[in-house]
Structures are given as structure tokens and as C-alpha cells.
């Protein structure tokens, strides 16, 4: 099934808007937030919708996941690294668009 992912912040219809700090992977459904701020604290719920279903299918809403700020200062510094999970091979039709996701972490 061809799925579409979105995230609700606290309650509908407040959807997470992608910007320079927020990214929603359409490959995995994961939500990534860089440089978390106090305004990011709250509950996040994933919404999954089928884009190819001919029958009218309702979006599926996941249970809320809370984001809280740590106050103990234990997070520390992470050395820079790039996370990739590319397949060994990726077949694609000539002239089509291929999207590969990778993420940089650390300081």
C-alpha cells in the first residue's frame, strides 16, 4: 500500500509543519526534530493514510507519544555522524525520481 505519514501536535487539527527543524519521513513515518525547544514539548500522534485505496479509507491515528525536555543535563555532546540505511541496490525506471534519506547527528 502507498502510505502517507503526518504528525499531530497535541490535538487535531494542529499538524506538525515541516521546516528547517522538523522533518517527517515518508519512507518510515518517523518524525525528526532538531534543536528541541520548550515550545516542542507536548504530545505527538502519527497519522497514516493510504493514498491508493479505491475504497474510502479513514486515516489511522496512533496513540500519543509525549516529548519532554530533560532537566538533568546528561545528554552531553555527540560526535558528528551520518545515519544512512540505503538498500544494496535500488531499481528505478530511467527518468524517474529517486529519493534517498540520510540524517546528520551531533555537534
Amino acid at each position: 500500500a502507498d502510505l502517507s505519514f503526518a504528525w499531530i501536535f497535541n490535538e487535531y487539527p494542529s499538524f506538525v509543519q515541516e521546516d528547517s527543524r522538523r522533518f517527517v519521513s515518508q519512507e518510515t513515518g518517523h518524525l525528526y526534530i532538531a534543536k528541541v525547544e520548550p515550545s516542542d514539548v507536548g504530545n505527538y500522534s502519527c497519522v497514516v493514510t493510504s493514498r491508493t485505496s479505491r475504497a474510502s479509507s479513514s486515516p489511522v491515528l496512533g496513540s500519543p507519544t509525549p516529548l519532554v525536555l530533560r532537566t538533568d543535563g546528561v545528554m552531553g555532546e555527540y560526535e558528528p555522524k551520518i545515519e544512512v540505511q540505503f538498500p544494496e541496490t535500488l531499481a528505478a525506471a530511467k527518468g524517474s525520481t529517486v529519493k534517498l534519506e540520510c540524517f546528520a547527528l551531533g555537534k
Side-chain angles (χ1 to χ4, degrees):
D2 197 5
L3 302 176
S4 173
F5 301 96
W7 284 82
I8 291 174
F9 178 54
N10 287 329
E11 59 186 33
Y12 180 86
S14 178
F15 282 91
V16 172
Q17 300 298 315
E18 292 189 68
D19 56 24
S20 60
R21 291 196 312 113
R22 300 172 190 87
F23 176 75
V24 177
S25 169
Q26 292 303 314
E27 287 293 315
T28 63
H30 295 169
L31 167 63
Y32 296 89
I33 303 176
K35 300 178 183 175
V36 172
E37 300 174 352
S39 61
D40 297 318
V41 170
N43 288 305
Y44 292 82
S45 303
C46 185
V47 182
V48 183
T49 308
S50 174
R51 292 186 289 210
T52 57
S53 175
R54 285 193 168 84
S56 59
S57 63
S58 298
V60 177
L61 179 65
S63 56
T65 300
L67 184 150
V68 295
L69 290 182
R70 294 185 65 146
T71 57
D72 55 17
V74 172
M75 294 305 286
E77 301 258 336
Y78 290 98
E79 63 184 36
K81 69 175 183 175
I82 295 179
E83 285 196 351
V84 293
Q85 295 177 339
F86 297 149
E88 284 286 319
T89 58
L90 183 65
K94 183 177 180 180
S96 66
T97 300
V98 174
K99 183 177 180 180
L100 300 173
E101 293 179 353
C102 68
F103 296 92
L105 310 172
K107 292 186 175 181

